[in-house]
Every structure is written in C-alpha cells, then in structure tokens.
Amino acid sequence: MATHDTGFVEVADLESLEESGRELVSANGAAIALFHHEGEIRAVDNRCPHMGFPLHEGSVDDGILTCHWHHARFELSCGDTFDPWADDVQTYPVDVRDGSVYVDPDPPRDLPPAEHWADRLETGLEENLRLVVAKSTIGLLDADVPYQEPMAATVEFGTRYREMGWSSGLTILGCMANVIDDLEETDRKRALYTGVRHVASDCASEPPNFDQPSFATTDVEFDRLKRWFRDCVEVRDSDGAERCLRTAVAADCSDAEVAELVVAAATDHPYLSTGHVLDFANKAFESLEHVGWDHADDALASLVDPLTTAARSDEQSSWRQPIDLVVLLEDVYGGDISATNGLEELAAAGSERTWEPPADLQSTLLGDDPEAIVDALAAAVHEGATPEELATQVLAAAATRVAQFGTANEFSDWNTVHHTFTYANAVRQFARRTDAVELYRGVFDAAINVYLDRFLNTPPAPIPEPGENDTGRDPETIREDLLETFDEEGEVNEAGRLVGEFFDCGGDPDDLKRTLGHGLLREDAGFHTLQNLEAAFRAFDLASGEAESQSENAVGRRQRVPMIATARYMAAHFPTRREAEQTFTIAARLNRGETIHEGE
C-alpha cells in the first residue's frame, strides 16, 4: 500500500468508493470507515466511541452518521456527537490523488488525552453517565494524571450541584481515595470510578447549591466565631452557620481550628443522624488532605445542611428508655448534653499524667452496664487519656461488635453495628487534627452506641483467636478461597474464619487488603459496605502502630478484628449483580481499542 510523502496512506480506489458509498479500510493498523457522501469523502474511526460498534455498518443521511447499535449520531465532517453519552468520533484528513484515496492515520490530536478525558469527566458528572465516567477515570489514570486531579474536580462538582450538601457520594469518594494506595493498579481505577459515579448519581436531578458569602470582616475572634456557629446550628439556621464557617476559612483559621469548630457543633447533640453527620465531616476533611486546602471553602460549607437538619439522638427513646443515657452523659459533660465544663475539669486534672488502658477496658466497653462505661471513660480522662487514646479504644470495641454480629439478627441490623463503627472511626480520625475538648463527647457518644448495640452480639459470633486456624496452607490459596466466599450467599462466618487463617498462616496484610479491595470493587457495593472496608483498613493500620506498646498477641488480635469484621460484613452483602463492573470492563476494553460487539 502506497504512502503519501506527507504521511498520508493510500487506502482505496476513488471510483470504487463512489460506487459503494462506504468502505472499511486499514491504515497503519487503524480500522477506518470511509464514506462518500454529498460529493465529499469523509474518514472516521470505525469504532463507535460509545460501545465500539463498527460505524461502516451505520447509516449516513443529511450529513449525519448514525450508529445502528445505540443510535449515537455524529456530524460526519468533524466527528462531533449529537449525544453527550456517546463521545466524539475520531476523524481523519483525506486526500485524493490520481484516482486514489489517501488518509492520514495519525493526525494531530485536538486535545491531549489528559484534557480530553477531563472534559469527558465533566460531561459524565453533569449527565450522570456511568460509561462516560468509567472511560474518563480510566483514561485519566492511563494518561498518568494523579487521582487527586479528577477527585478535586469531582469534589468541586459535588459540593456545587447538590443543594442538600455533603452526602453519601462524596463520602464514598473520600473512602476510595483513602484506600487507593492499598489496591492493585486496575482496582485503583475501579476505586476512582466508584467514587465519581456515586457523586454523579447523588447530584442527578438535584437543585444546585447557592452559596452564602463569608462576612465582610474576618476580624472576629475564633472563640466568638465558634460560639456563633454552634448557636446557628443549634437553632437550625443554615444560612447563618454557613456564613460563620466560610468566614473561619476566609480568616485563615488553621485546619485544626476549623476542625474544632465543626466537631463542636457536630457533638453538641449525640450521634447525629445515626453517626452520618460526623462521618461526613471527617470525610470532607480527609478529602481535603487529598485535593488541597484551597478547596476547603465549598467543601466544608457543604457540611452545614447535614448539620442543621440532623436527627438528634438525645430526642430519641432509645437514648432515654429504659435507662436515661443522656443524663449519664450530662453528669460528666457539665450538666447539659452540650456542655464541656465537666470534661474540661477532668482533662485539667489529667493534663500532667500519662494514661495506660486498663486490662479490663475492652470488656467494660463491650459490657451491659452503661454507668460503668461512662465512669471508666471519665476516669480515663481524669488519669490523662487524650481524645486520640480513648477514641482508639472505642473504635476497637466498635469493630468487635461488627466482627461478632450474630447472623440470626435481622439483615438490616448489620447497618446498626456498622454505623457505630464508622462513627467511632470518624472520632478517631478527627483526633489527628484537633485535641478539642468537644472531641471527648464524640468518644462518649460512640461508647454509648457500642453499649446500645450489645444485643446484636447475643450470642456473639466467635472471633478466630491467633493460632486457632494455623493450617499451614498457602496464604494465596486462602485469599482465593476468600474471594470465592463472596460468590455465594451466606458465607459470613467462613469469610471471617478465612481471614483468621490467613493471618495464622503468615499472610502479608498488604495482600489481604488488595484481595478485600478487589472483592469489594467488583461488586455493586452499597454506601455502607464501601465505608466499612475503609474504616476497617484504618482500624487495622492503627492497631499495627501499637506493636511497640502492647504484647504481640494483643496486637495480633487487635489487627485481625477489623479485617474479620469487614470480611464478614462484605460476605453478608455479596454477591451482587455486578452491573458497575460490567460497565467498567466495557470502558476498559474500549479504551484499549478492543472490539466489544463481537463478544469475548
């Protein structure tokens, strides 16, 4: 086949093309559809950009090329689509010389891949198009774009185009960013796709957000601004609260101070909206650690609506009857559920002390005496326990509740123990940013909810103890067996046992994380399941950091409990239809240039 000296390749006889109206040709390995229409010759990529159907089998009328598979339409001369869900088709320059048709199979791109996929990501978000989102996230990572860039664009979109503020979609995005380094390369693409598509779904058909501005002055003392913010949240004044929060950011308050502001309001009443409010707030701050504090203004302002509309647990019967748990907390806090003076006195008494957790603290936290739980925590504060230290202990107890969840309970009660676990994780993660006294309230609130969940461990599912399942098997085989449990319903206890066996047989925890991450991301995992894995990984990492201060056996048990917990939780919720995985697979194959319509 002749090559034109300017890079054009001879591909067809002009007279033959005029007779047939179309031909499928190949140039330097590229499959190209040639059309003779209205006296002009047009050349396009033969693969429909939507699902890869061969465009030479489509129809051309009035300058429009229509794919016959999903009826995507393209302006034939430039390749631009009429249908945003399809994407534009690549066109090729054509030259006619001496009765032959030449095509340039490698023309300059209109946009480099990173810019092209960034534009398509925006369309996928705006139109809530799963396939476009999948192709875009895969394309961006394949173009060596750091995941933080599409994440930042998605955070900006999710906070601007959802009037009701931060919700599950952005929380999922934050969860996926937190675990992305624990995953295999392909699963990192799945993780980004999962987060972005959930944000797009969350914002679909929702009214946009209209910002309240910060105050014209930033010369307001932090304590006063914090007081204003809490007062506005207390009376459910969203506009006033937003102006206060935006002013804190505009005044260049430190991230620790802004965290204190949010934590104070989020713990003025216990366990807001079954823990979601504090968890959302934590994920907003964690997301900013990925995308940068310059996104803080809109990201944190999106927390205001969940704060001001939250259900307050002190107004619910479960916290009041048969034991008034609110009164127990008020006695420690300082006479009111929103007070902190009692906690301040306890913390001041322990300010010069170093605290070590009592040997029986976990059994107390998992016990059935709420007064003993509150007294143990108050004593710990008095003895010098920091919010971070106490939050770590309560998180371990909450993980145990999930690990010991009895399968005889109603299926929906998995969410009950899960909510406590993710709330406790949020408290613990906030302790990285601030040591504000209000954070103690989050610790106490989480511990009370661990107590309320006690009946879901009656009887408790057994947690495999270290060494109990030392079968000597190859850890890789165990991981394969674990994935197989997710293919069958009801393999909850076997999933937990396999995790215990993996540890006993010397498996690398990083391999287990990759396996659990893959098992999660191939499913149509819901909000809570995605949260659960991320919180489990965080709890595991915390336990791994305790090796120097605790016995090897204690650390080993503390490490395995959250991993057993999330494996059991996942097994309870799998398998699913795996529709999202099918879309991801199609997108990956299209981006690689593979043929889809002819099957596997």
Side-chain angles (χ1 to χ4, degrees):
M1 185 172 285
T3 301
H4 197 291
D5 58 8
T6 58
F8 282 72
V9 175
E10 182 182 355
V11 293
D13 176 73
L14 175 61
E15 184 176 350
S16 176
L17 177 62
E18 289 174 339
E19 288 182 10
S20 64
R22 70 188 63 201
E23 287 189 21
L24 174 62
V25 300
S26 177
N28 291 359
I32 297 173
L34 281 181
F35 296 95
H36 184 270
H37 178 64
E38 296 180 342
E40 299 288 343
I41 299 172
R42 307 296 185 188
V44 303
D45 187 337
N46 192 49
R47 296 167 64 254
C48 176
H50 176 228
M51 290 282 283
F53 192 79
L55 288 176
H56 78 278
E57 296 183 16
S59 58
V60 178
D61 182 60
D62 196 25
I64 299 173
L65 168 61
T66 301
C67 176
H68 282 186
W69 202 357
H70 293 95
H71 304 286
R73 298 163 299 156
F74 307 94
E75 203 287 331
L76 186 58
S77 66
C78 67
D80 289 355
T81 185
F82 287 77
D83 305 295
W85 44 264
D87 205 353
D88 300 335
V89 68
Q90 172 72 53
T91 59
Y92 299 95
V94 175
D95 193 12
V96 177
R97 307 183 88 197
D98 301 325
S100 294
V101 179
Y102 289 77
V103 170
D104 180 358
D106 190 26
R109 289 181 175 270
D110 292 336
L111 291 173
E115 291 185 36
H116 168 75
W117 290 120
D119 287 349
R120 293 302 292 153
L121 179 65
E122 183 177 350
T123 298
L125 285 165
E126 292 171 350
E127 304 286 341
N128 189 25
L129 302 170
R130 277 196 176 190
L131 184 59
V132 173
V133 165
K135 290 195 291 184
S136 301
T137 51
I138 294 169
L140 285 165
L141 294 187
D142 281 344
D144 295 324
V145 175
Y147 74 86
Q148 292 91 341
E149 292 186 23
M151 181 183 179
T154 306
V155 168
E156 182 177 346
F157 179 87
T159 55
R160 183 162 298 279
Y161 292 104
R162 192 174 190 278
E163 185 181 41
M164 296 173 65
W166 194 284
S167 189
S168 59
L170 285 167
T171 300
I172 291 169
L173 181 68
C175 287
M176 295 299 94
N178 285 344
V179 303
I180 201 165
D181 289 337
D182 296 313
L183 304 174
E184 297 282 4
E185 182 179 353
T186 300
D187 285 330
R188 292 175 185 178
K189 298 172 185 177
R190 286 186 174 93
L192 182 60
Y193 160 58
T194 297
V196 175
R197 69 179 171 83
H198 278 285
V199 173
S201 178
D202 245 10
C203 296
S205 303
E206 291 291 322
N209 178 54
F210 294 98
D211 299 342
Q212 290 294 328
S214 61
F215 294 128
T217 179
T218 56
D219 188 21
V220 181
E221 292 182 359
F222 173 75
D223 287 344
R224 173 171 289 183
L225 199 58
K226 175 181 172 182
R227 193 164 57 249
W228 289 350
F229 181 67
R230 292 173 64 189
D231 289 344
C232 288
V233 172
E234 177 65 24
V235 299
R236 304 186 186 276
D237 173 13
S238 296
D239 291 343
E242 182 176 345
R243 299 200 74 174
C244 292
L245 186 53
R246 287 187 183 275
T247 300
V249 175
D252 292 327
C253 291
S254 68
D255 56 350
E257 288 177 318
V258 180
E260 177 180 338
L261 194 80
V262 172
V263 166
T267 59
D268 273 335
H269 293 272
Y271 202 55
L272 293 177
S273 298
T274 61
H276 284 120
V277 170
L278 195 69
D279 186 61
F280 288 176
N282 175 55
K283 283 297 172 286
F285 278 89
E286 289 180 340
S287 294
L288 292 173
E289 292 171 359
H290 293 280
V291 304
W293 190 254
D294 54 326
H295 294 274
D297 191 33
D298 288 340
L300 299 183
S302 71
L303 299 172
V304 169
D305 193 81
L307 270 168
T308 56
T309 61
R312 297 168 175 176
S313 290
D314 51 311
E315 298 172 351
Q316 297 178 359
S317 61
S318 60
W319 282 66
R320 294 289 189 174
Q321 298 291 337
I323 300 173
D324 197 330
L325 302 171
V326 175
V327 170
L328 289 179
L329 296 179
E330 288 177 335
D331 289 343
V332 176
Y333 293 176
D336 184 83
I337 198 63
S338 300
T340 57
N341 55 296
L343 292 167
E344 290 166 3
E345 291 176 6
L346 290 171
S351 61
E352 302 298 324
R353 302 178 183 179
T354 300
W355 179 75
E356 289 291 336
D360 62 349
L361 181 58
Q362 282 298 305
S363 60
T364 300
L365 292 173
L366 292 165
D368 58 4
D369 185 347
E371 188 170 355
I373 294 169
V374 172
D375 288 347
L377 293 176
V381 179
H382 187 270
E383 294 300 317
T386 64
E388 185 173 9
E389 291 170 327
L390 280 184
T392 300
Q393 295 296 317
V394 175
L395 176 59
T400 301
R401 286 282 190 239
V402 183
Q404 293 190 312
F405 181 86
T407 56
N409 292 299
E410 283 193 293
F411 184 77
S412 62
D413 275 327
W414 276 106
N415 290 338
T416 304
V417 292
H418 162 79
H419 287 144
T420 305
F421 180 41
T422 52
Y423 182 82
N425 178 61
V427 175
R428 176 59 182 82
Q429 297 306 322
F430 261 120
R432 296 189 292 110
R433 303 181 194 96
T434 177
D435 59 358
V437 70
E438 289 89 356
L439 201 55
Y440 281 120
R441 296 189 307 205
V443 172
F444 278 80
D445 296 347
I448 287 296
N449 230 60
V450 169
Y451 158 76
L452 287 171
D453 295 345
R454 69 196 183 284
F455 68 97
L456 297 173
N457 290 164
T458 306
I463 297 176
E465 293 293 334
E468 187 177 306
N469 288 281
D470 187 359
T471 61
R473 289 207 299 157
D474 182 358
E476 183 177 352
T477 302
I478 298 170
R479 290 191 293 117
E480 291 171 357
D481 289 349
L482 179 59
L483 284 177
E484 288 180 6
T485 66
F486 299 150
D487 290 329
E488 300 180 37
E489 292 184 2
E491 294 296 308
V492 173
N493 291 330
E494 177 63 6
R497 190 199 66 77
L498 285 167
V499 171
E501 182 185 7
F502 178 84
F503 281 110
D504 289 343
C505 293
D508 185 341
D510 289 341
D511 289 340
L512 180 60
K513 284 183 175 180
R514 285 189 284 270
T515 299
L516 289 169
H518 179 69
L520 175 80
L521 292 167
R522 69 181 183 176
E523 303 283 350
D524 297 327
F527 171 39
H528 294 141
T529 315
L530 294 160
Q531 280 184 299
N532 196 275
L533 177 124
E534 185 267 343
F537 283 12
R538 287 300 183 101
F540 172 86
D541 291 341
L542 287 170
S544 300
E546 297 173 356
E548 295 182 1
S549 61
Q550 295 191 22
S551 70
E552 183 177 346
N553 190 64
V555 171
R557 191 177 194 281
R558 188 70 65 85
Q559 286 177 318
R560 68 177 54 208
V561 165
M563 304 300 263
I564 289 170
T566 200
R568 296 184 78 242
Y569 192 93
M570 290 165 64
H573 292 78
F574 298 159
T576 64
R577 294 173 63 90
R578 300 182 183 174
E579 294 179 8
E581 173 65 7
Q582 183 175 3
T583 300
F584 178 86
T585 301
I586 290 170
R589 292 181 63 189
L590 285 170
N591 282 18
R592 290 195 297 265
E594 296 180 14
T595 300
I596 304 297
H597 73 283
E598 293 179 353
E600 299 297 330

